[in-house]
């Protein structure tokens, strides 16, 4: 008996991921923190989402809330080539094949390990492409007055085999100060330095919070 597969035509996929020409790139500064913001990224965002939803979403076993799809650079050629062009406008040359990309899919009452709600740090260059509208976004924090993992080591909040609990937004405490939130805006992408402490922030309702997150795996230093 022949196995059935969900075949996706590569040309149709790339066509669905066509990026708008002449993107407007804004640099946003909040004190010492800055990031790039680009709106109206996809020419046809609904078509792009329909194709991206063909990929399986793995639920459980990751430190971010909800489920995750994993993409190779060859799956997202138009997107990553656009990222290369965007970064070039601020003087940074990047190799699109050095990105690793996954989606974040979360929903109301999604459960996580309690320690996952605290801020964390990632690779230096992160691109967050919003495929939804939602209250909240990506929030940035200072730990005892310090904003980046390059300057201070934070406690390990996640504990082995800790029980799952419903997601709660982290507004800060005596050690942590929330100082900015990059807002969720449909079909927009934000580029930021992931070494800055950050965490998801969302007021959930009965729809999916959906985004593509691309991490640039390189020791290269960037101008963000």
């Amino acid at each position: 008996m022949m196995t059935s597969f969900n075949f996706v035509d590569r040309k149709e996929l790339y066509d669905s991921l066509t990026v708008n020409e002449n993107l407007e790139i804004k640099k946003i500064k909040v004190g010492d923190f800055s990031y790039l913001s680009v709106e109206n990224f996809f020419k046809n965002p609904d078509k792009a989402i329909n194709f991206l939803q063909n990929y399986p979403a793995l639920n459980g076993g990751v430190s971010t809330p909800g489920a995750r799809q994993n993409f190779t650079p060859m799956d997202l050629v138009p997107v990553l080539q656009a990222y290369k062009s965007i970064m070039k406008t601020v003087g940074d040359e990047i190799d699109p094949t050095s990105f690793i990309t996954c989606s974040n899919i979360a929903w109301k009452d999604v459960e996580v390990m309690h320690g996952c709600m605290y801020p964390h740090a990632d690779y230096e260059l992160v691109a967050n492409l919003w495929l939804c509208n939602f209250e909240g976004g990506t929030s940035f924090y200072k730990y005892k007055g310090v904003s980046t993992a390059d300057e201070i080591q934070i406690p390990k909040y996640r504990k082995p085999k800790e029980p799952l609990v419903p997601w709660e937004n982290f507004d800060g405490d005596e050690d942590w100060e929330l100082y900015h939130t990059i807002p969720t805006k449909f079909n927009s992408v934000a580029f930021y330095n992931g070494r800055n402490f950050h965490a998801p922030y969302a007021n959930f309702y009965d729809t999916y919070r959906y985004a593509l997150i691309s991490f640039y795996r390189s020791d290269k230093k960037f101008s963000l």
Side-chain angles (χ1 to χ4, degrees):
M1 184 175 179
M2 190 171 182
T3 303
S4 177
F5 291 93
N6 181 25
F7 288 105
V8 175
D9 182 82
R10 187 176 297 276
K11 183 180 184 306
E12 289 184 25
L13 172 63
Y14 288 176
D15 286 346
S16 77
L17 300 179
T18 300
V19 176
N20 275 313
E21 299 173 358
N22 302 317
L23 295 170
E24 183 180 358
I25 303 163
K26 298 179 182 178
K27 189 163 188 175
I28 312 295
K29 287 186 66 67
V30 181
D32 294 333
F33 174 66
S34 64
Y35 63 95
L36 301 181
S37 177
V38 181
E39 297 183 4
N40 299 315
F41 183 73
F42 284 128
K43 278 191 175 181
N44 191 332
D46 291 333
K47 186 176 180 182
I49 291 170
N50 287 338
F51 262 87
L52 293 171
Q53 287 176 334
N54 281 284
Y55 288 79
L58 303 178
N59 190 18
V62 295
S63 58
T64 52
R68 173 178 291 180
Q69 299 163 296
N70 295 299
F71 302 92
T72 73
M74 286 303 296
D75 298 333
L76 301 173
V77 169
V79 174
L80 301 183
Q81 287 289 352
Y83 289 177
K84 177 181 178 179
S85 298
I86 290 167
M87 292 304 299
K88 192 172 183 178
T89 67
V90 293
D92 288 317
E93 292 285 346
I94 64 172
D95 174 8
T97 64
S98 292
F99 276 109
I100 56 172
T101 302
C102 65
S103 65
N104 284 165
I105 308 167
W107 52 88
K108 188 176 182 180
D109 297 325
V110 64
E111 293 190 333
V112 297
M113 294 180 291
H114 182 267
C116 295
M117 301 180 200
Y118 285 88
H120 65 279
D122 294 313
Y123 294 96
E124 184 168 345
L125 176 61
V126 180
N128 188 329
L129 173 56
W130 291 109
L131 302 174
C132 65
N133 272 318
F134 237 85
E135 293 181 13
T138 303
S139 288
F140 289 81
Y141 302 78
K142 292 181 180 180
Y143 179 75
K144 297 183 177 180
V146 178
S147 60
T148 172
D150 291 336
E151 300 178 36
I152 195 170
Q153 185 173 350
I154 62 174
K156 293 182 179 180
Y157 291 102
R158 292 197 294 268
K159 300 176 182 178
K161 299 181 180 179
E162 63 177 314
L164 298 181
V165 294
W167 173 267
E168 292 182 6
N169 291 322
F170 183 64
D171 291 305
D173 57 21
E174 63 273 10
D175 292 327
W176 290 98
E177 173 197 354
L178 191 166
Y179 64 90
H180 185 66
T181 299
I182 299 178
T184 303
K185 186 170 184 179
F186 180 67
N187 200 29
S188 72
V189 58
F191 298 81
Y192 57 84
N193 185 340
R195 300 298 295 161
N196 289 283
F197 299 122
H198 60 281
Y201 199 100
N203 296 322
F204 288 106
Y205 41 92
D206 294 328
T207 187
Y208 289 111
R209 183 181 188 267
Y210 188 31
L212 285 189
I213 317 296
S214 296
F215 305 93
Y216 194 74
R217 299 190 67 175
S218 170
D219 293 330
K220 177 178 169 61
K221 295 297 181 181
F222 294 94
S223 57
L224 294 178

